[in-house]
Amino acid sequence: MHTAERITLTRLPSGVPVETTVHTYEGDEDGPTLYVQAAQHGREINGTEVLRRFHERLDHDELRGTVVAVPVADPLTFDHVSYTTPEVLDSVNPNLNRVWPGDADGSLHQRIAARLWEYAGDADAIVDLHTGSPDMLTHTVYLKGDAECRALAEAFGADLLLAEAAGDDADTEWSERNFGGKFRVAATREGIPSITPELAHNKQLVEPAIETGVEGMFGVLEHMGMLDSGDGDGKKWDGTVARNHLGRVKAADSGLFLVDDGVELGQSISSGDHLGRVFDPTTYEVLQEVEADRDGILYSVALESTVTAGQTLVGVALLDVE
């Protein structure tokens, strides 16, 4: 059985409600509950299309348990095609994915999170669909060292898994960017296995990324025993595990970034490999020879060539972390 409930997340200063739709799919048999949402960041739209196709393809008669799906978690950023909410609406917490599990009496985004947590907090597992930038390889992030989250990530099926350290085990970026308020982190701390698939690219509906997401949703359901797999055993994951938020080579100066021929997302690289150069567009002076500083998998490359000092040029995911 499928139901669609229109709910109020919060209200604007004018009193206009901010609403979204919660879809609930209930099978004929008892079973676990999976919560899935998309578009916490409004420019990340592939997850929203994943849930539309999932809706079309799910056979309710075969489902055991319940799926709760929210295709647009943050309507405000969705309408602005933005990563964060405009400061005039929430200057305190402009990023929804930094305030979980929320506060019903807090800022606008804290109230949105608290309202959605009423559904997510009762789940047995969570999939938080995101979309990477156009220069990032599709991957799934999970909490490093958590076996249940790792199994859920493998079931989703992306070729690259990134294990993210948390709290005292993480680098300084963790606290500087308030990653403790991420939806996946808050849920995992509450004992709910959670993953964050990053389905490149943002602002674009990209077919391979969408289909990876749809297949991933059914893989998770099979893993949780909510659907039978086609072959009786499910698919065995055979991908790469690496480390998240490390291995970033940043621009030492502002200029134009020219990527070397043959540099492609997903390739294995070694420390010292030449990946490109930054040069001064007015004098033609080479300002930086861009080289990998470690062995690993190339999972991001800046495709917008005009770069500023400190901007990430390439991301290298470290291997053999667990």
Side-chain angles (χ1 to χ4, degrees):
M1 180 178 68
H2 167 252
T3 59
E5 177 188 8
R6 193 72 175 169
I7 67 168
T8 297
L9 297 169
T10 189
R11 295 184 182 277
L12 298 178
S14 63
V16 173
V18 178
E19 299 179 334
T20 196
T21 301
V22 178
H23 295 266
T24 301
Y25 308 87
E26 293 183 303
D28 293 334
E29 300 181 38
D30 291 337
T33 296
L34 173 68
Y35 176 89
V36 56
Q37 67 176 28
Q40 273 209 75
H41 302 133
R43 67 189 185 190
E44 302 180 11
I45 56 176
N46 279 324
T48 302
E49 175 62 9
V50 165
L51 292 183
R52 187 186 71 83
R53 297 190 191 185
F54 174 78
H55 170 82
E56 292 181 340
R57 298 179 193 179
L58 180 64
D59 187 338
H60 301 168
D61 293 334
E62 296 183 358
L63 180 66
R64 291 186 290 272
T66 303
V67 178
V68 179
V70 182
V72 179
D74 190 345
L76 294 174
T77 56
F78 193 90
D79 288 346
H80 286 84
V81 195
S82 64
Y83 184 75
T84 57
T85 292
E87 184 177 355
V88 67
L89 293 178
D90 195 338
S91 61
V92 179
N93 298 297
N95 189 339
L96 175 60
N97 203 26
R98 297 295 184 269
V99 300
W100 294 89
D103 182 349
D105 297 318
S107 71
L108 182 147
H109 268 152
Q110 288 177 311
R111 293 175 186 233
I112 290 177
R115 185 71 175 95
L116 292 175
W117 189 259
E118 294 176 18
Y119 297 87
D122 292 329
D124 295 292
I126 287 173
V127 176
D128 184 22
L129 295 170
H130 283 250
T131 299
S133 60
D135 53 7
M136 184 176 290
L137 194 68
T138 291
H139 61 274
T140 301
V141 186
Y142 70 97
L143 179 64
K144 182 178 183 292
D146 190 300
E148 290 187 74
C149 293
R150 164 77 180 261
L152 198 66
E154 289 187 7
F156 193 84
D159 290 336
L160 177 63
L161 306 186
L162 294 186
E164 183 177 81
D168 294 338
D169 296 328
D171 59 8
T172 57
E173 183 180 19
W174 176 269
S175 57
E176 290 172 353
R177 298 180 64 183
N178 192 27
F179 283 174
K182 287 183 178 181
F183 180 39
R184 172 177 50 81
V185 174
T188 302
R189 285 175 169 171
E190 291 294 323
I192 308 172
S194 305
I195 58 173
T196 304
E198 295 276 2
L199 306 170
H201 312 276
N202 63 45
K203 298 183 180 180
Q204 305 170 41
L205 292 178
V206 179
E207 201 61 30
I210 293 167
E211 283 303 310
T212 294
V214 176
E215 292 174 9
M217 286 297 303
F218 284 101
V220 166
L221 291 182
E222 292 172 8
H223 168 72
M224 295 179 65
M226 300 173 71
L227 285 178
D228 291 327
S229 61
D231 57 9
D233 296 319
K235 296 179 181 178
K236 182 174 177 57
W237 181 79
D238 183 23
T240 301
V241 180
R243 192 177 306 173
N244 199 24
H245 296 301
L246 288 176
R248 295 179 178 178
V249 180
K250 297 184 178 182
D253 207 341
S254 301
L256 288 180
F257 175 44
L258 180 64
V259 181
D260 287 350
D261 290 341
V263 172
E264 296 181 354
L265 291 174
Q267 73 182 74
S268 297
I269 59 175
S270 301
S271 179
D273 282 356
H274 195 276
L275 303 174
R277 54 180 49 87
V278 178
F279 64 91
D280 185 322
T282 65
T283 66
Y284 316 136
E285 174 189 2
V286 176
L287 303 174
Q288 179 182 0
E289 298 289 353
V290 180
E291 298 179 347
D293 62 353
R294 63 200 68 206
D295 302 344
I297 299 293
L298 191 67
Y299 81 96
S300 71
V301 179
L303 297 183
E304 294 186 2
S305 298
T306 304
V307 298
T308 56
Q311 179 178 338
T312 297
L313 302 177
V314 297
V316 181
L318 293 169
L319 301 176
D320 299 326
V321 299
E322 295 187 318

